[in-house]
């Protein structure tokens, strides 16, 4: 999975796909996820959720993946694609 930590946290968040997220909200979601799971476990949780969602709802998974990546870009703009 090539999502930043902020994007992974947003993917796992309760935010509805397509919701506008401010940089401050993205930072809060990321900080809460890191506090809850740590960096390694965050990556594992996001990977498990992505695998599950890609099988259950492939279209919704792709939309959420793209939304999380775009929404996190405002918080982590210099991450290489």
């Amino acid at each position: 999975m090539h999502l930043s930590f902020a994007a992974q946290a947003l993917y796992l968040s309760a935010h509805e796909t397509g919701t506008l997220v401010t940089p401050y909200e993205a930072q809060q979601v990321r900080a809460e996820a890191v506090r809850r799971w740590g960096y390694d476990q965050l990556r594992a949780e996001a990977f498990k959720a992505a695998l599950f969602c890609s099988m259950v709802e492939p279209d919704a998974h792709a939309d959420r993946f793209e939304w999380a990546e775009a929404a996190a870009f405002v918080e982590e703009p210099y991450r290489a694609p």
Side-chain angles (χ1 to χ4, degrees):
M1 180 179 292
H2 297 288
L3 292 178
S4 67
F5 288 114
Q8 291 173 45
L10 286 167
Y11 186 92
L12 291 169
S13 75
H15 285 78
E16 190 171 322
T17 302
T19 301
L20 293 177
V21 178
T22 67
Y24 179 73
E25 289 173 314
Q27 288 172 350
Q28 284 184 313
V29 170
R30 179 179 182 256
E32 178 59 33
V34 170
R35 186 171 33 258
R36 181 176 179 185
W37 288 303
Y39 290 105
D40 291 334
Q41 191 62 31
L42 171 58
R43 189 171 298 279
E45 293 297 323
F47 185 72
K48 287 190 292 188
L51 284 176
F52 177 78
C53 291
S54 67
M55 292 177 57
V56 176
E57 297 178 326
D59 292 335
H61 159 71
D63 291 344
R64 184 143 184 100
F65 191 94
E66 290 174 5
W67 164 79
E69 186 172 40
F73 185 75
V74 298
E75 198 266 326
E76 297 177 329
Y78 302 110
R79 183 185 64 81

